[in-house]
C-alpha cells in the first residue's frame, strides 16, 4: 500500500495518487477484500472500509463531486463491484449510519439502469455519463458488461428476478451488437455516430473477464442452465485465442499492449480482473472441464508472473510480460495488482464461495437506493466449493508466493 496515501493525515481517503485514476482505487479495494477473504489477514480492512465509504458521494451512489465531470459508467461500476464483493464475502459491515455494501451496489445498478439509452443503437450504455465528456459517443464492452455483471450478481444475492431480467436484456443487446461475434470475440466498443454499425476490433482481457463473470453468475442463478454454460465456455475459448497464445506456451496470460509495448496507465491492471473472474468462475460453474481449463491457465500464468516479480532495488517489483523469465523493467500499481490477483486465483479452492441473502449474507438490502425507481428485493441459491487432497501441496506453495507478493504490493502502493 506504499503508493496509497489516502490513509495519511491531510490526504483524501479512497484515492490513488496521480497518474492512477479513480476507478483503479475502487478495483484495488475489491481485490483487497478478496485478499482478506482468502487469507484472513485484516491488516487493510480499515483502509478499505474508509476508502469505499469516503468516495460514495452525497447521494451514496459513487458519484462524488470531485469525479463526476469525467466519470464513466465503467469507472462507477468498479466501485460497485467492490461493494458487491464485500457483501458476497461477508466483509465487516460499515459503521451504523453508513450505507450498506449491498445498498451501494444497488444504487449504482439503479442509476445505470436509468441510463439505458435507446436513442441510438437500440439500447445499451454509453461509456461516459456526461454528454460533454469525450467518449460520450462510444458504447463499450466494459460499461455494458458492468451493468450485466452487476445485475447477475444482484439477482443471485437477492433472488429477485428483475435483476436477472436486466442481465438478460443487457446480454441480448450486446449479442446483437457488433461487439460480440458468434465465436465469442469481444471487441472494445462501437460509435453512436454511425449507429454502432461496426466495432473497433480492440481486444482487452478485462472485457472478457467482466462478461465471463456475469455469465457465471447467471449459470449459478439459473441452477446450471446449459445456455449460460455454453456462453461461459464460449467466452473462455475467446480468451484462449486472444490472450493465451501458442508462442508463449498457450497457457500464460498476456495483454496485447504488452507485446506492442504501448500500454497506457490503466491497462497493466487488466489481467488482474480476468484472473480474479476466471477463478470465481470455477466456484460458480463447478464443471470439471471448465475448471480444468481455467486452472491450467491460472497456474502457468502464476509461474510466469513469479519470474517477473524480481525487479527493483529489493528484487520484489513485478513487471508485465509474464512470458519473459526476467523482470521487464515495468512497475506500478497495475503490475502489482495483476501479479497478486493471479497468485491469489490459485488459492480459489480454499476460498469461500460468495454468499447470498438467504445463505449467510448479512449486508442489508436497499433496493430503492440511488435515483432509480425499480422496486427490487428477495433470496437465492449458492454452490459449495471443495478442496481435494491432491491440491493441498500446491496450495501451500501458492500461499507462500502470495505472502511474498502481498508484501511487495504493500511496499510499492
Amino acid at each position: 500500500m506504499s503508493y496509497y496515501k489516502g490513509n495519511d493525515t491531510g490526504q483524501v481517503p479512497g484515492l490513488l495518487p496521480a497518474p492512477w485514476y479513480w476507478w483503479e482505487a475502487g478495483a484495488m479495494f475489491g481485490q483487497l477484500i478478496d485478499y482478506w477473504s482468502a487469507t484472513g489477514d485484516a491488516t487493510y480492512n480499515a483502509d478499505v472500509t474508509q476508502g469505499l465509504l469516503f468516495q460514495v458521494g452525497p447521494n451514496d451512489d459513487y458519484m462524488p463531486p470531485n469525479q463526476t465531470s469525467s466519470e464513466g459508467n465503467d469507472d462507477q461500476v468498479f466501485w460497485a463491484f467492490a461493494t458487491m464483493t464485500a457483501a458476497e464475502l461477508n466483509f465487516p459491515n460499515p459503521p451504523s449510519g453508513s450505507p450498506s455494501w449491498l445498498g451501494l451496489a444497488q444504487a449504482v445498478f439503479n442509476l445505470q439502469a436509468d441510463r439505458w439509452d435507446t436513442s441510438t443503437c437500440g439500447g445499451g450504455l454509453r461509456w461516459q455519463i456526461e454528454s460533454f465528456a469525450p467518449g460520450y459517443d462510444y458504447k463499450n464492452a466494459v460499461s455494458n458488461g458492468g451493468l450485466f455483471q452487476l445485475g447477475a450478481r444482484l439477482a443471485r444475492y437477492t433472488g429477485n428476478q428483475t435483476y436477472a431480467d436486466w442481465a438478460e436484456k443487457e446480454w441480448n443487446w450486446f449479442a446483437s451488437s457488433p461487439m460480440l461475434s458468434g465465436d465469442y470475440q469481444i471487441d472494445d466498443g462501437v460509435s453512436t455516430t454511425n449507429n454502432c454499425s461496426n466495432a473497433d476490433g480492440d481486444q482487452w482481457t478485462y472485457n472478457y473477464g467482466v462478461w465471463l463473470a456475469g455469465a457465471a453468475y447467471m449459470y449459478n442463478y439459473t441452477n446450471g442452465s446449459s445456455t449460460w454454460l455454453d456462453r461461459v465456455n464460449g467466452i473462455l475459448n475467446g480468451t484462449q485465442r486472444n490472450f493465451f497464445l501458442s508462442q508463449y506456451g498457450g497457457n500464460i496470460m498476456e495483454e496485447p499492449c504488452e507485446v506492442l509495448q504501448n500500454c497506457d496507465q490503466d491497462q497493466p491492471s487488466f489481467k488482474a480482473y480476468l484472473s480474479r473472474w476466471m477463478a470465481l468462475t470455477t466456484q460458480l460453474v463447478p464443471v470439471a472441464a471448465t475448471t480444468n481449463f481455467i486452472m491450467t491457465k491460472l497456474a502457468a500464468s502464476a509461474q510466469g508472473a513469479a519470474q517477473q516479480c524480481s525487479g527493483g532495488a529489493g528484487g520484489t517489483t513485478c513487471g508485465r510480460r509474464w512470458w519473459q523469465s526476467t523482470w521487464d523493467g515495468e512497475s506500478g500499481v497495475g503490475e502489482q495488482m495483476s501479479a497478486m490477483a493471479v497468485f491469489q486465483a490459485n488459492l480459489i479452492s480454499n476460498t469461500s464461495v460468495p454468499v447470498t441473502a438467504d445463505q449467510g449474507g448479512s449486508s442489508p438490502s436497499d433496493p430503492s437506493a440511488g435515483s432509480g425507481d425499480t422496486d427490487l428485493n428477495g433470496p437465492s441459491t449458492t454452490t459449495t466449493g471443495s478442496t481435494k487432497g491432491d491440491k493441498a501441496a500446491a496450495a501451500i506453495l501458492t500461499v507462500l508466493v502470495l505472502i511474498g507478493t502481498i508484501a511487495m504490493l504493500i511496499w510499492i502502493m
Side-chain angles (χ1 to χ4, degrees):
M1 293 272 285
S2 63
Y3 278 124
Y4 179 65
K5 305 301 181 184
N7 52 2
D8 292 348
T9 301
Q11 299 299 310
V12 179
L15 296 183
L16 286 165
W20 289 281
Y21 295 110
W22 180 70
W23 76 273
E24 196 164 348
M28 180 189 73
F29 292 133
Q31 188 162 324
L32 287 171
I33 294 169
D34 280 349
Y35 165 72
W36 162 79
S37 179
T39 66
D41 181 3
T43 300
Y44 314 110
N45 285 13
D47 291 333
V48 170
T49 298
Q50 180 193 45
L52 287 174
L53 293 178
F54 197 87
Q55 291 297 319
V56 298
N59 296 318
D60 296 340
D61 55 10
Y62 288 109
M63 292 287 290
N66 61 337
Q67 300 296 328
T68 50
S69 64
S70 61
E71 186 174 342
N73 283 301
D74 53 347
D75 302 326
Q76 185 186 35
V77 84
F78 267 90
W79 289 85
F81 288 161
T83 67
M84 195 69 225
T85 297
E88 291 169 336
L89 297 182
N90 269 334
F91 188 70
N93 285 319
S96 177
S98 302
S100 71
W101 300 132
L102 179 60
L104 286 166
Q106 289 169 309
V108 172
F109 175 86
N110 288 338
L111 281 176
Q112 297 204 348
D114 279 352
R115 294 182 193 133
W116 185 261
D117 171 41
T118 58
S119 67
T120 60
C121 314
L125 283 184
R126 293 174 182 262
W127 175 26
Q128 293 296 310
I129 295 171
E130 299 293 347
S131 60
F132 57 76
Y136 184 73
D137 60 355
Y138 194 60
K139 293 189 176 182
N140 60 346
V142 69
S143 296
N144 286 281
L147 179 60
F148 166 66
Q149 186 191 125
L150 192 57
R153 293 172 77 165
L154 287 167
R156 180 180 178 273
Y157 191 96
T158 68
N160 192 302
Q161 181 62 32
T162 305
Y163 290 121
D165 292 344
W166 263 100
E168 291 270 10
K169 176 179 180 177
E170 178 66 87
W171 177 277
N172 291 337
W173 176 83
F174 188 70
S176 69
S177 82
M179 285 181 281
L180 181 64
S181 70
D183 61 352
Y184 293 93
Q185 174 155 311
I186 298 175
D187 291 337
D188 188 67
V190 291
S191 175
T192 62
T193 60
N194 63 5
N195 202 35
C196 305
S197 60
N198 57 279
D200 57 17
D202 292 340
Q203 302 289 296
W204 301 108
T205 52
Y206 81 151
N207 285 335
Y208 285 75
V210 72
W211 286 93
L212 173 67
Y217 275 100
M218 288 300 290
Y219 172 88
N220 194 269
Y221 173 75
T222 56
N223 297 311
S225 159
S226 60
T227 297
W228 286 109
L229 179 60
D230 289 345
R231 290 167 177 172
V232 165
N233 289 328
I235 295 171
L236 287 171
N237 289 336
T239 69
Q240 176 73 70
R241 291 192 307 272
N242 291 287
F243 311 118
F244 298 98
L245 304 183
S246 58
Q247 59 262 45
Y248 307 127
N251 289 315
I252 296 178
M253 191 185 303
E254 61 88 18
E255 199 72 59
C257 67
E258 296 166 355
V259 179
L260 300 172
Q261 299 187 38
N262 63 353
C263 298
D264 69 14
Q265 199 61 49
D266 291 330
Q267 293 154 5
S269 74
F270 285 2
K271 291 191 294 189
Y273 318 122
L274 180 56
S275 297
R276 290 171 62 193
W277 287 327
M278 286 178 73
L280 177 69
T281 297
T282 68
Q283 295 182 309
L284 299 174
V285 187
V287 176
T290 302
T291 296
N292 291 339
F293 177 95
I294 289 171
M295 296 312 300
T296 297
K297 286 167 171 47
L298 291 177
S301 294
Q303 291 174 352
Q307 295 182 110
Q308 271 296 300
C309 293
S310 58
T316 55
T317 298
C318 299
R320 298 174 186 170
R321 302 176 191 95
W322 293 350
W323 67 89
Q324 292 184 6
S325 60
T326 56
W327 181 48
D328 60 13
E330 305 288 355
S331 62
V333 174
E335 288 84 353
Q336 296 302 106
M337 284 176 61
S338 289
M340 174 182 170
V342 78
F343 292 143
Q344 194 166 297
N346 282 271
L347 297 176
I348 196 65
S349 63
N350 303 323
T351 302
S352 298
V353 176
V355 301
T356 63
D358 69 343
Q359 299 266 339
S362 63
S363 189
S365 179
D366 186 2
S368 62
S371 64
D373 58 0
T374 312
D375 187 16
L376 302 160
N377 228 348
S380 180
T381 59
T382 187
T383 60
T384 56
S386 62
T387 303
K388 297 184 178 178
D390 60 358
K391 295 180 180 177
I396 292 170
L397 291 174
T398 309
V399 168
L400 296 176
V401 176
L402 174 62
I403 291 171
T405 305
I406 297 301
M408 288 188 288
L409 182 62
I410 294 169
W411 182 65
I412 68 162
M413 287 180 62

